[in-house]
Amino acid sequence: MDLSDKIEKLLTRVSKPASYMGGELYSVLKEPEDVELHFGFCFPDLYEIGMSYLGMQIIYHVLNEQPWIWCQRLFAPGTDMEALMRSEGVPLFTIENKQPAREMDILGFTLQYELSFTNIINMLDLAGIPVLAKDRDDTMPVIAAGGNCSFSPEPLADVFDFFMLGDGEDVLIEVSEAVREYKRELSGMQEPADTADGLRPKERLLRKLAGIDGVYVPSLYEPQYAENGCMTGHRKLWDGAPDRVVKRFVMDMDTVSYPLRPIVPFTDTVHDRSVIELFRGCTRGCRFCQAGMICRPVRERSPEIIKEYSYNSLKNTGYDEMSLLSLSTSDYSRIEPLVRDLMQGCRAMDVGLSLPSLRLDSFSEEILKEIMGVRKTGLTFAPEAGTQRLRDIINKSITEEHIYTAAEKAIRLGYSNIKLYFMIGLPGETDEDLDGIAEIARQITAINREVSEKKGRFNVTVSVSNFVPKAQTPFQWAAQDTPEEFNRKHLYLKDRLKMKNVSYQYHGTETSFLEAVFARGDRRVGRALIRAWELGCRFDGWTEHFDYSKWLQAFRETGVDPDFYAHRGRAEDEYLPWDLIDCGVSKEYMLKEKHRSEEGLQTRDCRKGCTGCGIKRYQECPVYEQGANYS
Amino acid sequence: MGRFLIKFTKEGEIRYISHLDLLRVFQRAFRRTDVRLRYSQGYNPHPKISFAMPLSLGFESRGEYVEIETESGHGPEQIIRELAESMPRGLQVLACSPLAETSKTSPGAAVEFASYTAEYRGDDAAMRDSLVAGILPFLGEKEIISVKYSKKKKKDIETDIRPSIRSLSSASDTRLLLTMMLKAGNVGNLNPEQLVKALCRFCGREYLEYEWRYRRLDMFFRDGKGRIRPLTDFKG
Ligand code: SF4
């Protein structure tokens, strides 16, 4: 019985069969014999999560544009499907052609969040592929990773053959070419360029990959540790390995390939709509934000291209909703005319336009009314901290005045749902900052009582997450609060927020703790990860699957002390496990930002003048070039 | 400006998408064409699309029907052409015929019978002979009691399914392929799987869900003269 028959037999018995069947509009089929390289794009979470991720659509498109590459998709199966796959002997398979993952030449995982790491291990195991890179021979696919978590790669360094850093569009093709050559060499179609080097083909491949900009091959380095357990450096195992790996940049957003025929899933996914990326990067410099650091510099798409893409993408997909994507929509340089044009276009096509992370102060009253008219999402603000003092420390430029004026505007326009995002456990936080959170919520309800003409329902939701210090940020040296401290703060807040029309949401502290361990881990924490998976952990980001006791057991059994990673402040001169990785923003700059934060000083949004983040060591910075227009 | 009945297939991978998802697929498919659907009035307007009879998840079909109402002045031929380019794999438009603008019965409500095949894909070689031999005596039963769990009543319900079976036969090739015509619609509706289960029990054979593949062939209604005709002939 062939694999697709076997799979079919399972589908009548699982809860979401369509997640495994493929066949969606614009999914790509090719003749296996016609392509030279089989690329398996792996998303280590459920189908409906992965399919909402624009990065997947971009990579799928960029790879499949090449006639010699066939990129197919693989997702983490749901637990019901996994149980059946294991009992019936069905290996992890591609959605498109129902091919075993092992038949791929490259399996490329996207690392979006730490809590998906056990799913990676699980997917490799389901594929029948040894989890550790050192146990895989030439018959196995090459296992690669990209995405945000690659900027702190050490926890997974023993698993992956290589990591790709930064924008994927170009580097993916370059690594695919290298793997194609490796395959030819393996099949004897091609003599290796230099046979005198005495290397196995896989070794030769890894060295070649290490020579590609933006590629980190962990097996070419050996981590060094001091007596006290801190890391002291990476020792090169091959002289040719680069001293530092600098991320890749795609600079021209107008010419880079974009999926105008994205796969349209049949089932309801998390974000079931057409998505147009406005720009990459962010100039604000919030000190806790990893994306804000690792995605620099800001690179915008021109309004003409955005409008053209919007129209084509809607026409091709038939979606009745469109969303704009970036780290901060309002910061797009020509946002007002763009939004006006898009709203007009969407109205003509009977499409709802959603504008996430929009700051109201950047709009005139007139367009605001229009926006409010079509917006489907509620109004949200992210002050992140409860007092101006703490907002200065974290470099969040929003002021209470901003919030109150915008909230007033919104309430006058008939809004009755306001959501506020905060973080607790930030460096320098005191209970007064928690009081500040409650105060902001109280003020907004007061504004509502004052200005609202409607008597009806009004709600302020205060959503509080736990600060996780991230690598490659000015807070990378900080200690995380203990779960006990987080819980105390949550109770404190819960008490203070017992107000009419205010509801309080908060995140589990145990998962935040785990995140902190893996966000700044070294290679040793990988052992605990694998042990936790052996004990049955997967889908750790899903409350119904998360099992903290198993994690504690895994740490215990592998001798990994999670507190060492989560709760220990790092010395400024300590070698950090990710120091080998250069995200474009320099370590000196982050240190400078750390010091400014300690002095309670804000650093300006660099559109108002360059603040010297270090990008210009590698690239012309478009923000810097335009600087004169702003300052 | 018109009402149409579209006949289409649901084959291959797409057989695993639910009724609700299928509705969305059609809505989007129309949005990709120039054919504009008419919308219902009211607070939450939705396009006028309705399927004749739901198909069980995992069943394939060569005879699905959807009724639509359009705003734009496209004729049946144009609708077929536009949709052909816009549909995902596995959904193929077979026919499109106009319905009377004002009619009381919807095609879905008119359906009285549906024909199906059930294909055995397991590897028990004796299964074919056993079931084929069983068909005639099975149909000769006065009563065929089938037990089915009712979610609504939260208990097993016994029904006599014999009156719902109009025909049952096996194609005489090497595979085990049962062909049947069963009552469908509001009264006496019989799912082919329920019948195959009953046949297996009658023949003392084990029924394993994943060994069978079902396919709907067509739907039928009774015309004014009492004749049974395929739903494509329905004019409203
Ligand atoms: S180089 Fe200067 S202008 Fe460019 S992103 Fe860095 S700080 Fe901003």
Side-chain angles (χ1 to χ4, degrees), chain A residues 346-402:
Chain A
C346 283
R347 212 177 303 121
M349 292 176 86
D350 198 12
V351 166
L353 177 64
S354 85
L355 303 163
S357 64
L358 198 63
R359 285 171 40 250
L360 298 180
D361 48 348
S362 49
F363 288 92
S364 63
E365 194 79 24
E366 166 212 358
I367 190 159
L368 208 56
K369 270 191 191 139
E370 270 191 78
I371 294 172
M372 298 297 214
V374 293
R375 271 176 68 118
K376 286 180 180 168
T377 49
L379 188 64
T380 59
F381 298 101
E384 305 293 359
T387 63
Q388 194 55 50
R389 185 193 66 86
L390 191 53
R391 285 193 295 274
D392 288 343
I393 290 179
I394 65 176
N395 206 38
K396 185 88 200 179
S397 61
I398 190 169
T399 66
E400 261 152 66
E401 207 183 299
H402 277 140

Side-chain angles (χ1 to χ4, degrees), chain A residues 6 114 123 142 199 257 271 279-280 343 386 398-399 421 430 454 469 512 517 523 577 583 612:
Chain A
K6 271 184 157 178
E114 291 82 7
M123 285 170 78
V142 183
L199 294 173
S257 195
H271 297 303
F279 61 95
R280 292 183 191 169
M343 277 197 306
I398 190 169
T399 66
Y421 288 99
T430 68
K454 290 194 298 186
S512 305
V517 173
R523 277 192 204 187
C583 72

Side-chain angles (χ1 to χ4, degrees), chain B residues 3-5 50-52 65-69 97-112 185-187 220-224 231 233-236:
Chain B
R3 269 178 87 213
F4 299 92
L5 185 63
S50 62
F51 294 100
Y65 291 87
V66 63
E67 180 192 350
I68 60 159
E69 290 184 38
S97 52
L99 291 170
E101 265 294 328
T102 50
S103 82
K104 280 175 224 99
T105 23
S106 71
V111 172
E112 262 191 53
N186 295 330
V187 219
F220 302 86
F221 74 111
R222 222 183 269 275
D223 69 10
L231 204 58
D233 295 346
F234 185 79
K235 292 288 169 273

Side-chain angles (χ1 to χ4, degrees), chain A residues 504-518:
Chain A
Y504 177 46
Q505 292 174 352
Y506 59 97
H507 290 248
T509 55
E510 290 156 349
T511 45
S512 305
F513 170 59
L514 264 196
E515 258 179 81
V517 173
F518 290 100

Side-chain angles (χ1 to χ4, degrees), chain A residues 24 40 65 89 206 269 282 321 359 372 447 493 523 552 559 579 615:
Chain A
E24 310 96 319
E65 249 180 352
L206 291 176
T269 55
C282 180
E321 200 188 330
R359 285 171 40 250
M372 298 297 214
I447 293 172
L493 266 175
R523 277 192 204 187
L552 293 180
D579 273 353
I615 287 291

Side-chain angles (χ1 to χ4, degrees), chain B residues 2-193:
Chain B
R3 269 178 87 213
F4 299 92
L5 185 63
I6 295 171
K7 182 180 184 185
F8 65 97
T9 66
K10 190 184 180 197
E11 290 175 309
E13 296 138 339
I14 205 164
R15 71 184 179 281
Y16 285 100
I17 72 165
S18 71
H19 195 62
L20 212 70
D21 290 337
L22 190 64
L23 185 67
R24 204 171 26 226
V25 167
F26 266 87
Q27 284 175 13
R28 282 187 189 145
F30 276 108
R31 289 182 67 95
R32 291 189 288 268
T33 70
D34 292 331
V35 180
R36 292 277 77 92
L37 294 175
R38 190 176 292 166
Y39 274 71
S40 65
Q41 304 291 318
Y43 180 68
N44 190 12
H46 49 271
K48 298 237 180 181
I49 298 183
S50 62
F51 294 100
M53 226 181 87
L55 185 69
S56 301
L57 208 68
F59 282 24
E60 291 191 299
S61 180
R62 293 288 304 169
E64 291 304 284
Y65 291 87
V66 63
E67 180 192 350
I68 60 159
E69 290 184 38
T70 62
E71 251 348 309
S72 50
H74 294 80
E77 297 306 319
Q78 283 170 302
I79 294 178
I80 294 183
R81 220 176 311 122
E82 293 251 354
L83 274 185
E85 280 175 25
S86 159
M87 288 290 216
R89 280 191 295 275
L91 293 181
Q92 191 195 340
V93 175
L94 299 174
C96 176
S97 52
L99 291 170
E101 265 294 328
T102 50
S103 82
K104 280 175 224 99
T105 23
S106 71
V111 172
E112 262 191 53
F113 292 97
S115 53
Y116 301 89
T117 58
E119 185 190 356
Y120 175 70
R121 293 164 69 93
D123 35 25
D124 180 354
M127 188 77 148
R128 180 176 173 268
D129 295 339
S130 164
L131 291 199
V132 169
I135 290 178
L136 279 181
F138 177 71
L139 289 177
E141 294 283 291
K142 267 208 207 62
E143 232 186 25
I144 301 174
I145 297 299
S146 159
V147 184
K148 207 178 144 192
Y149 182 76
S150 158
K151 276 187 198 142
K152 225 191 260 165
K153 295 181 182 146
K154 292 209 175 70
K155 60 172 185 191
D156 288 339
I157 302 289
E158 287 191 356
T159 30
D160 175 15
I161 62 171
R162 182 62 191 91
S164 296
I165 307 170
R166 188 175 163 90
S167 69
L168 170 66
S169 60
S170 88
S172 62
D173 66 9
T174 47
R175 293 177 302 159
L176 172 52
L177 184 74
L178 304 173
T179 307
M180 60 202 84
M181 173 93 123
L182 308 175
K183 281 280 280 176
N186 295 330
V187 219
N189 185 66
L190 179 60
N191 186 310
E193 188 175 19

Side-chain angles (χ1 to χ4, degrees), chain A residues 283 296-298 589 606 609-616 621 623-624:
Chain A
T283 52
R296 285 191 175 201
V298 162
Y589 181 76
C606 67
C610 179
T611 54
C613 73
I615 287 291
K616 280 166 57 59
C621 174
V623 182
Y624 182 86

